[in-house]
Amino acid sequence: MACLKAGTRPPWLGLGAAVWMQIASGNAYNFPLYSHSLKSVLGFNQHQLTMLGVANDIGENVGLLPGFASNKFPPWIVLSIGAFACFLGYGVLWLAVSRTVLYMPYWLLWLALCVATNSSAWLSTAVLVTNMRNFPVNRGTVAGILKGYAGLSAAVFTEIYSTVLRKSSSNLLMFLSFGVPVLCFVMMYFVRACTPTSGEDPAEHGHFLFIQVASVVLGLYVLTTTILDHMLQFSAEISYAILIVMVVLLMAPLAIPVKMTICPTRINKPGMPNQPIAPSDEMLQEEGNADKREPLLKSSDSTTYLGSFREGDDASEMAMLLAVGEGAVKKKRRPKRGEDFKFGEAVIKADFWLLFLVYFAGVGSGATVLNNLAQIGIAQGVENTTILLSLFSFCNFIGRLGGGAVSEHFVRSKTVPRTLWMTCAQIVMGITYLLFASAIDGTLYAATALLGICYGVQFSIMIPTVSELFGLKHFGIFYNFMSLGNPLGAFLFSGLLAGYIYDTEAAKQYGLNLIGSSVSCIGPNYFEVRVCPS
């Protein structure tokens, strides 16, 4: 695969295509939209349903294979594998929910859900690794944008579910089985590795700001229309018009490469005043093989903007160089923070496991609430849980986008570690869980919004932090290993605690031994016990 000259359209075209792929990679967030059908149509109890929620999280976050594949194969191969997993897994679920196949064993559905949501890991890894390498000096911003769109995907799918699919779980699963793979095959050509920008592009900040503003407008639009539809019951014509506007807003990031095609920018470099940026094909021909031999990442890129991480290293590095020069040290030194680590070198670092533990606690507990959001809403008397899901999705998006942008600003200007913002998010999450447990009237929507913001911050902070600590060369592996904290936390908090407590409380309410049935728990007494463990 030929590398493309820095500053040309393809990196931005790839980022625009990556936005669509990140929306598709959020298919795992649709579990609350069809979980009630798994419970009613197939007769599962709450414990069985929460274990399916664990399968949902395991498939979404077990991405070690995509991480290794992203270092071995071009992005289009990784995307193709994700498309096939989506087709296979959701296809099996559709056959069961639509009653096309009358009986399927529970273990097969559990496995199918793992495979289906594992497509998220393949799609997200392909676009995230590629774009982090294409924009190495804007990692926080790029991570915030891409993970923000992934967080917004639940609201986008909810809009499609309510408008086109007529709130049918069967239709939703069929859409996921065929629609997502088709989108992958359309967009995979544009997601490609490009040479990172070698010079300062004054228009780059404006381009990122445009995408951020467009994403916020999209999020507000989807949230507003979802709420208004619930209140006013839009006609079919208005609903389709709303959907068309949403698709146009999703295409907004593609306006940047279109603008760069119509109005090429100029980058001023020493000795090269007012030199226009030529199209990528022309630059490839002019530069010849010299640019093709230019490495994808330079060593300085992985150590940019680390601030206090590298303070105090100069003296020890000088001593090491003198020792090597005198022949006292022959063994190759281990990498330091910010340099490219191998997986075996990273796992022996305390930083690695501390970051994993924080992510495990924050995202694992948040995923427990998300997977049971429909049951939490019903227990509080909220019948239409799509509004809760849309609210969580929008605030999750704001947390991801804002976390990436804010941390990027402060790490550049004040050298404030990104992990400080992760700590703040953990504290607010603890307060939010107390709001859920209190079951006070009027706090459900506020608690859902706060949880969504903090949940999103965890994602957008973890991604650039991993790349800054351990480098970009094996970033796909490190990112997906950290993502294992999500299903492990969901298994502990949701699978082993929440589902069992739910069924136990339901049996108490009905006065019968109904642990094996599919009854629903109602009221604040259940709600208080149910949420505390998560």
Side-chain angles (χ1 to χ4, degrees):
M1 180 182 297
C3 292
L4 302 177
K5 185 64 179 177
T8 54
R9 295 184 303 276
W12 294 100
L13 184 60
L15 184 61
V19 164
W20 283 77
M21 297 312 305
Q22 281 295 94
I23 292 291
S25 72
N27 59 76
Y29 292 115
N30 291 311
F31 184 73
L33 294 179
Y34 60 85
S35 61
H36 63 280
S37 293
L38 295 175
K39 190 173 183 179
S40 60
V41 175
L42 303 179
F44 294 149
N45 59 37
Q46 186 63 27
H47 182 68
Q48 289 175 313
L49 190 64
T50 52
M51 289 307 297
L52 286 175
V54 172
N56 186 81
D57 292 321
I58 290 176
E60 179 188 6
N61 295 282
V62 176
L64 291 180
L65 282 179
F68 283 107
S70 65
N71 283 349
K72 300 289 185 181
F73 304 106
W76 70 268
I77 292 183
V78 182
L79 291 174
S80 298
I81 297 174
F84 177 74
C86 191
F87 170 76
L88 182 62
Y90 283 116
V92 172
L93 292 174
W94 172 73
L95 291 175
V97 172
S98 65
R99 309 305 290 169
T100 303
V101 176
L102 295 179
Y103 173 76
M104 285 190 183
Y106 179 81
W107 65 266
L108 179 59
L109 294 175
W110 194 94
L111 185 61
L113 188 55
C114 280
V115 173
T117 55
N118 191 240
S119 65
S120 300
W122 290 91
L123 304 183
S124 180
T125 299
V127 299
L128 191 60
V129 170
T130 302
N131 283 276
M132 290 280 283
R133 291 173 176 174
N134 288 347
F135 299 95
V137 297
N138 294 281
R139 305 176 197 182
T141 303
V142 171
I145 288 173
L146 292 180
K147 299 307 290 185
Y149 273 101
L152 195 60
S153 62
V156 173
F157 278 116
T158 301
E159 190 76 34
I160 297 173
Y161 170 75
S162 301
T163 304
V164 180
L165 305 178
R166 304 295 182 182
K167 297 184 179 181
S168 168
S169 299
S170 176
N171 291 341
L172 175 63
L173 291 171
M174 184 173 65
F175 175 79
L176 294 174
S177 302
F178 296 98
V180 172
V182 169
L183 181 63
C184 289
F185 288 117
V186 171
M187 292 294 177
M188 65 173 57
Y189 173 78
F190 304 105
V191 180
R192 62 177 71 180
C194 306
T195 303
T197 302
S198 58
E200 187 68 22
D201 186 356
E204 191 172 78
H205 175 72
H207 290 163
F208 282 124
L209 182 61
F210 172 78
I211 297 177
Q212 290 169 334
V213 171
S215 62
V216 171
V217 172
L218 173 64
L220 288 172
Y221 175 80
V222 174
L223 179 63
T224 303
T225 53
T226 301
I227 295 175
L228 290 178
D229 183 36
H230 174 65
M231 297 172 58
L232 304 177
Q233 297 296 322
F234 291 143
S235 64
E237 293 77 11
I238 296 178
S239 297
Y240 280 105
I242 290 173
L243 185 64
I244 292 173
V245 174
M246 184 187 72
V247 173
V248 172
L249 290 174
L250 280 171
M251 297 176 66
L254 297 175
I256 293 175
V258 172
K259 174 251 184 184
M260 296 177 74
T261 302
I262 299 174
C263 304
T265 58
R266 298 173 180 270
I267 298 179
N268 293 327
K269 296 182 182 180
M272 301 172 63
N274 299 327
Q275 181 174 352
I277 298 293
S280 58
D281 294 339
E282 297 177 9
M283 300 197 76
L284 280 173
Q285 295 174 0
E286 292 173 1
E287 298 296 333
N289 295 328
D291 284 335
K292 294 181 181 179
R293 293 192 299 269
E294 183 179 352
L296 179 62
L297 291 175
K298 299 178 181 178
S299 59
S300 60
D301 290 336
S302 293
T303 58
T304 305
Y305 306 119
L306 294 182
S308 60
F309 288 150
R310 300 301 304 274
E311 292 177 2
D313 286 349
D314 293 340
S316 60
E317 186 173 351
M318 182 61 69
M320 177 64 71
L321 291 174
L322 290 174
V324 172
E326 295 172 359
V329 178
K330 298 183 181 298
K331 185 178 180 180
K332 183 180 179 181
R333 70 173 180 86
R334 292 176 178 175
K336 299 178 181 179
R337 290 189 182 98
E339 298 177 347
D340 290 323
F341 280 72
K342 295 180 180 178
F343 185 75
E345 296 168 334
V347 294
I348 62 175
K349 295 291 185 180
D351 295 343
F352 184 89
W353 292 106
L354 181 61
L355 187 61
F356 179 84
L357 178 63
V358 172
Y359 189 74
F360 161 82
V363 177
S365 59
T368 299
V369 178
L370 175 61
N371 289 341
N372 296 276
L373 196 58
Q375 286 72 35
I376 290 173
I378 292 172
Q380 279 277 51
V382 177
E383 294 298 332
N384 191 347
T385 57
T386 58
I387 294 180
L388 282 177
L389 181 61
S390 295
L391 179 63
F392 179 91
S393 176
F394 175 74
C395 293
N396 182 22
F397 154 73
I398 291 296
R400 295 182 185 211
L401 185 67
V406 170
S407 67
E408 186 74 20
H409 170 74
F410 280 96
V411 81
R412 285 172 178 254
S413 61
K414 306 293 185 180
T415 64
V416 176
R418 300 184 195 270
T419 48
L420 174 66
W421 306 106
M422 185 177 285
T423 302
C424 294
Q426 293 276 10
I427 295 173
V428 177
M429 286 182 82
I431 298 173
T432 302
Y433 293 143
L434 293 177
L435 286 177
F436 276 117
S438 65
I440 300 174
D441 291 341
T443 61
L444 179 60
Y445 291 100
T448 302
L450 282 175
L451 180 66
I453 292 173
C454 297
Y455 187 76
V457 168
Q458 305 289 325
F459 284 91
S460 62
I461 298 298
M462 183 273 291
I463 293 170
T465 301
V466 167
S467 70
E468 288 173 346
L469 288 175
F470 307 111
L472 282 169
K473 186 175 182 180
H474 301 287
F475 166 72
I477 300 173
F478 296 135
Y479 158 67
N480 282 293
F481 186 89
M482 290 292 173
S483 297
L484 290 175
N486 192 328
L488 290 176
F491 176 75
L492 174 64
F493 298 126
S494 183
L496 297 183
L497 294 177
Y500 173 77
I501 292 176
Y502 183 102
D503 289 331
T504 302
E505 187 66 21
K508 290 179 181 179
Q509 284 195 8
Y510 285 85
L512 298 171
N513 185 17
L514 297 177
I515 296 295
S517 67
S518 57
V519 298
S520 296
C521 219
I522 304 295
N525 292 334
Y526 143 74
F527 195 68
E528 182 176 331
V529 177
R530 171 70 179 86
V531 179
C532 284
S534 65

